[in-house]
Every structure is written in C-alpha cells, then in structure tokens.
Amino acid sequence: MKKAGNNRPNRPSGKAVGKAVSRPQGDRPGQRSAGHRGSNARTGGGGKNRQDHPGEGRTAKPLSPRSRDGFFLFGRHAVEAALKNPARECVRLIGLDKTLTTELTSIRPGLKTERLDDDAALRATVPPDSPHQGVLLEVRPLPGHDISTLAPVADEKNIILMLDQVTDPHNVGACIRSAAALGARALITQDRNSPSESGTLARASSGGLESLPWLRVANLSQTLDSLREMGYWHVGLDGHTDTSLRDVKLGDNLVIVMGSEGKGLRPLVRKHCDAIVKIPMTSRVESLNVSNAAAIALYELTQD
C-alpha cells in the first residue's frame, strides 16, 4: 500500500446519520474481541471472595432499579464521575455509612440516599467478583450525541475511535478510558452487536464514560460516509497487511476503525477505510487485546 499524501481526492457524498441513542442492557458475560489480528482477552473481574465480606451468612435479594431504563453503577470512581457529570440523570445513591461520606453525598444535593447496615444487598446486585467498594448509584442512560457535533476543530487533532462489533463491555469500557485519556473526540459503535451502558462497562472506563461522547449509530458505513464529508480520513486496523501504522500520514482528522475478534473488520466497513494498517509486533505473541491496540493507535496518531 502506498503512503497517503495530503492531496485529498474528491469525496463521495455520504448519507447523513441521525442522533445516537444509548439503551442499557445490564451486565452480561462478555465475549472476547480484538482490533486487528484477534484477541486473547480475559474478562474476569477482580475483587475479594465472598467469604472475605462481612454479612456472609445474610441472604439478600438483588436491588432493582426504580426508574425507567435505570441501571446501577458501582465502585467509587464510576459513581463519583457520574455524580459530577451534569448530563447524567441520577436517581438514588445507595451504600454503607462508611462509604457515603459528606464528600460524596454533597456532590448532588437533594439526591435520594439510602444507607445499608452491611453489603449483602450490594454484593447480590453487582456481577460476581466485581468490587462494589460499598456504593451503588442508580442512573438513567446518558443522552445521545449528534454526529454534527464532531465537525473537525481547526488546528487541532481530531481523532475518533470506531469499534465494529466489539461486544465485550470490559473491552469497550477500556477503549473509552484510553480514548478519553488520549484526547479522542468520541467513540462510535453500532447500536446492534455492541454493549450498552452498564455498571461493568462504566467501571472499566474509569470515569471515561461520563466525559467522552459515545455515539451509537444504526449503520457504521453510512456514518463513515458522513464523517468523510466532514473532512475525516479513515484508518482500519488489521494484522493481515504489510503497511505499518507509522507509514500512513493522513492529516489531523482521523477515524480509527477496529474490528472484532476472529472476523476483524466487516467487508463493507473495511471498504470504507482509506488505509488498512497494522501495529508492528514481534512473533512472541499472536495478537493484542483490542483495548491495548486502541491505546497504541490513539497514542501514535495523536502525536505531532
């Protein structure tokens, strides 16, 4: 593949893409996914064994959301980030006395707060082996974002990360974290075959879910057409190519497109990419996890 220069060809007209909407699907076991040659990601959570918690002998039922489309965030960092996000609709804060400190409860004055004597109900509500850190926050999904808000800003790096059927919420959350940390404009996924907001995804994003715009669209190819009209170039990652990520220079407005494990980029999405590149690797391992690959690509392409 030849290096792409800065002389831009005439672009075909793309179909406009409407406002993206997020729908919570709750936490479910994740599937492994990758952004180039495949992935050997493991989706197991951390945390202590149940016998290490107080109240082990107590039988508790999982807490249920009381609001339409409601779901629970858990863990101090994810909860605090959501409370500080004015766009996030918070319903109620639940936790232990030692966790619900004034520092936390004062972020949203007037928010309903429920205090528990022990963490049995918290443990019954979060996924197995997921550390709740003594606090849950019932929330509703974030409002959608319109693609028109992603128009490139002059004299700045405008990088967008697009995931094509990456299904594991741990991986998507980690990609959001990397994208937020490295200054990406947004994450784009399809509204089908990708996870919605959930406590597991929010915790993996380490607060990034509350700060990085996430567009869930009906058709990735049409979205790429719309972004092309706005001035973006598209770089797809795939291990089966001779072109290195460092060999392609397409300017400051870029969409990084990463595919799922095994199948990689779907043919039509791949066809909409201006360049297909790989991350150079030794032969000691077969592949990188999609979130690791995304972090490397984002870092490489955000550098001057």
Side-chain angles (χ1 to χ4, degrees):
M1 179 181 295
K2 296 182 180 179
K3 298 182 182 179
N6 292 323
N7 294 325
R8 304 188 176 210
N10 293 327
R11 297 292 198 179
S13 297
K15 184 176 180 180
V17 178
K19 191 173 184 179
V21 179
S22 297
R23 302 182 182 88
Q25 296 175 346
D27 296 312
R28 61 181 186 270
Q31 300 176 5
R32 297 184 294 175
S33 49
H36 39 103
R37 285 192 287 178
S39 166
N40 53 3
R42 291 177 293 179
T43 60
K48 298 180 179 180
N49 294 327
R50 288 182 179 266
Q51 60 266 28
D52 296 328
H53 291 275
E56 172 61 26
R58 184 185 297 270
T59 301
K61 294 182 180 180
L63 298 170
S64 298
R66 295 178 180 175
S67 60
R68 180 175 59 86
D69 295 337
F71 63 101
F72 290 110
L73 302 181
F74 54 87
R76 175 82 185 205
H77 200 97
V79 167
E80 186 172 340
L83 289 170
K84 291 180 177 178
N85 179 10
R88 173 69 79 178
E89 183 179 346
C90 299
V91 179
R92 55 177 171 151
L93 184 62
I94 308 169
L96 306 176
D97 275 330
K98 66 180 181 180
T99 307
L100 297 181
T101 62
T102 302
E103 180 184 5
L104 189 65
T105 58
S106 62
I107 298 174
R108 287 282 183 108
L111 177 65
K112 182 177 181 180
T113 302
E114 299 178 12
R115 297 179 181 272
L116 305 177
D117 294 331
D118 61 54
D119 70 346
L122 303 180
R123 289 187 286 108
T125 303
V126 303
D129 298 323
S130 294
H132 53 70
Q133 297 180 303
V135 63
L136 298 180
L137 178 65
E138 182 181 345
V139 299
R140 298 193 64 214
L142 289 166
H145 296 271
D146 194 275
I147 195 171
S148 62
T149 62
L150 299 181
V153 179
D155 301 320
E156 291 186 11
K157 289 278 188 179
N158 297 280
I159 309 295
I160 295 171
L161 179 63
M162 176 179 284
L163 302 180
D164 181 17
Q165 299 195 87
V166 176
T167 58
D168 180 1
H170 295 83
N171 278 336
V172 175
C175 286
I176 291 175
R177 180 178 185 175
S178 296
L182 294 169
R185 292 286 305 277
L187 173 78
I188 297 177
T189 63
Q190 195 173 18
D191 58 7
R192 295 177 292 106
N193 301 316
S194 63
S196 294
E197 293 183 47
S198 68
T200 296
L201 189 148
R203 188 175 185 279
S205 77
S206 193
L209 178 62
E210 307 299 329
S211 61
L212 183 78
W214 180 8
L215 283 71
R216 295 174 56 83
V217 300
N219 189 297
L220 295 184
S221 296
Q222 291 180 3
T223 301
L224 287 170
D225 283 337
S226 296
L227 291 168
R228 178 175 285 119
E229 285 189 332
M230 296 165 67
Y232 285 92
W233 292 72
H234 311 327
V235 179
L237 263 69
D238 191 319
H240 303 289
T241 181
D242 294 328
T243 305
S244 170
L245 177 64
R246 293 183 175 180
D247 292 337
V248 176
K249 306 298 180 183
L250 292 172
D252 291 338
N253 307 325
L254 297 172
V255 182
I256 303 172
V257 190
M258 310 191 73
S260 64
E261 180 185 10
K263 295 181 180 180
L265 296 172
R266 289 177 295 167
L268 188 57
V269 173
R270 184 187 181 99
K271 185 177 179 180
H272 278 72
C273 293
D274 299 297
I276 301 296
V277 302
K278 68 178 180 181
I279 297 173
M281 295 172 50
T282 70
S283 59
R284 296 176 181 174
V285 294
E286 180 183 356
S287 63
L288 288 172
N289 173 269
V290 63
S291 62
N292 298 129
I296 293 170
L298 286 163
Y299 179 81
E300 184 69 28
L301 294 176
T302 51
Q303 302 308 296
D304 292 329

